[in-house]
Amino acid sequence: MNFTTKIPIQKSNFPIDYNSKIISIGSCFAENMGEKFEYFKFQNCVNPFGIIFNPISIENLINRAVNKIEFTEKDIFFHNDLWHCYEVHSLLSDTSSELIVQNLNRVLHLFRTQIIEASHFIVTYGTSWVYRLRQAQPDSLSIVANCHKAPQNQFDKEILSVEIIEKSIENSINLIQKINPNCNFIFTISPVRHIKDGFVENQRSKAHLISAIHSYNLQPTTYFPSYEIMMDELRDYRFYAEDMLHPNQIAIDYIWIKFFESYISENEFATMNQVCEIQRALKHRPFNPNSENHQIFLKKVNKKIRTLVSRYPQIQF
């Protein structure tokens, strides 16, 4: 008897291999998948500007990078003893106004280079709900990526329409293709529940994102059903973390397996197994580090690493 519904996922026509260069951007679930890429030693850049939840803020950062629009002191503000930028995560906040601008532009230039070199661009949208600065001009830049715990009365909350999200997706793809016409795109929706918005509001938000992505159904874009796997295949609270909002490690591992079975070249499965063996060996904690057996064990591990690195020089342990 089958106690779950399996979601069919087509094999990618543009599979990822160890020569691929991947950019993962978006919600915290993008970081969950990025950690998997890192564990298996793929070439992967994850959220250079920190976690970003909404499509407009992701588009704005891509636009800055592609069109070389540097950050200036007009783009930062001081609050709670730190300088912040509404376009990025608080991870990049700093005590110095000069240093935050320098760091933002350093990351921006690196992000542009990564876009140019990327073979795959993975976007994980988290929500359609956005916060707009009241004192700013009512354009896309007035939508913040992070409120940085500024007073709530400085923002208006709104939900992006399907049409606006669809246009934002199209803009993001066109911008990237402007400097990298060969990039492949994978879109997915974060399975994290944004219950602070409300139960019905969270479902509306996810529905807008899903509808918009599927309205823009052109090559080289594909859709990976992270959200649907969580909702339908893993329809049980035992697959959530203690907050009952985020997928737990079992769920993350399960969704990752679904992803690599569909999007990673089967020719790399053996290499992934070798990397996994090395990773497990490196985590091994011996009872006696100076014993002869452990020294033999280390030599075997180092030999495996040298063999692998000789084939893939970009891999570092």
Side-chain angles (χ1 to χ4, degrees), residues 53-310:
F53 293 103
N54 76 79
I56 299 296
S57 294
I58 290 173
E59 176 196 344
N60 289 340
L61 289 171
I62 293 171
N63 181 54
R64 272 194 182 274
V66 171
N67 291 313
K68 301 180 181 179
I69 305 171
E70 290 195 338
F71 292 93
T72 68
E73 289 196 356
K74 293 186 295 183
D75 301 310
I76 62 174
F77 70 100
F78 193 71
H79 177 65
N80 283 344
D81 300 322
L82 287 173
W83 288 93
H84 308 277
C85 175
Y86 279 127
E87 296 179 53
V88 305
H89 193 269
S90 55
L91 184 70
L92 282 82
S93 298
D94 203 289
T95 55
S96 164
S97 60
E98 182 179 353
L99 288 179
I100 186 175
V101 173
Q102 288 178 1
N103 191 41
L104 286 171
N105 287 323
R106 179 188 62 79
V107 175
L108 186 71
H109 294 313
L110 179 59
F111 185 40
R112 189 178 196 278
T113 300
Q114 290 164 337
I115 291 174
I116 292 172
E117 297 177 350
S119 61
H120 296 77
F121 203 101
I122 305 174
V123 183
T124 305
Y125 292 138
T127 183
S128 302
W129 289 100
V130 296
Y131 290 87
R132 190 184 295 273
L133 270 174
R134 287 181 176 175
Q135 76 269 23
Q137 292 294 326
D139 57 15
S140 64
L141 289 177
S142 66
I143 293 175
V144 304
N146 195 300
C147 294
H148 300 293
K149 298 183 179 179
Q152 191 173 355
N153 60 12
Q154 294 183 12
F155 306 94
D156 289 317
K157 185 178 180 180
E158 64 184 69
I159 190 168
L160 300 173
S161 68
V162 173
E163 293 74 20
I164 288 175
I165 298 169
E166 183 182 352
K167 184 60 179 176
S168 181
I169 294 170
E170 182 180 3
N171 290 344
S172 296
I173 291 173
N174 289 341
L175 282 163
I176 291 169
Q177 289 183 329
K178 182 178 175 182
I179 58 175
N180 182 353
N182 299 315
C183 189
N184 300 292
F185 298 88
I186 303 169
F187 288 89
T188 189
I189 305 300
S190 169
V192 177
R193 303 160 70 220
H194 291 250
I195 298 304
K196 286 184 179 180
D197 294 324
F199 286 88
V200 174
E201 290 79 2
N202 175 63
Q203 294 293 66
R204 283 181 63 200
S205 169
K206 301 292 189 185
H208 283 207
L209 294 170
I210 293 168
S211 296
I213 290 174
H214 285 83
S215 296
Y216 192 90
N217 189 23
L218 297 174
Q219 293 291 355
T221 66
T222 59
Y223 179 74
F224 176 68
S226 301
Y227 178 75
E228 292 79 1
I229 291 170
M230 192 72 193
M231 293 297 103
D232 287 293
E233 289 197 35
L234 305 178
R235 188 187 286 269
D236 195 306
Y237 274 108
R238 64 191 160 133
F239 297 114
Y240 283 91
E242 290 182 2
D243 63 3
M244 296 299 174
L245 302 176
H246 292 76
N248 63 17
Q249 194 59 52
I250 296 172
I252 292 168
D253 292 344
Y254 183 90
I255 296 172
W256 164 255
I257 290 170
K258 291 288 187 179
F259 181 89
F260 91 72
E261 287 177 346
S262 304
Y263 282 92
I264 294 179
S265 171
E266 292 184 8
N267 295 332
E268 303 293 14
F269 287 2
T271 303
M272 291 176 70
N273 283 331
Q274 292 173 27
V275 171
C276 192
E277 287 177 6
I278 293 171
Q279 293 280 40
R280 284 199 298 262
L282 291 174
K283 289 182 179 180
H284 174 67
R285 294 292 177 265
F287 288 112
N288 183 2
N290 299 317
S291 68
E292 183 179 353
N293 285 340
H294 184 63
Q295 298 308 310
I296 294 172
F297 170 78
L298 290 178
K299 287 179 181 178
K300 288 180 178 178
V301 174
N302 287 329
K303 183 179 180 181
K304 288 181 180 179
I305 292 174
R306 288 194 301 271
T307 302
L308 192 60
V309 171
S310 67

Side-chain angles (χ1 to χ4, degrees), residues 16-20 22 34-44 256 271-272 274-276 278-279 282 305 308-309 312-317:
I16 294 168
D17 59 32
Y18 273 96
N19 293 314
S20 300
I22 310 153
E35 288 172 2
K36 293 293 186 182
F37 280 121
E38 174 61 27
Y39 180 85
F40 287 102
K41 297 301 176 182
F42 286 92
Q43 299 178 82
N44 182 47
W256 164 255
T271 303
M272 291 176 70
Q274 292 173 27
V275 171
C276 192
I278 293 171
Q279 293 280 40
L282 291 174
I305 292 174
L308 192 60
V309 171
Y312 302 101
Q314 73 273 18
I315 291 180
Q316 299 292 325
F317 288 95

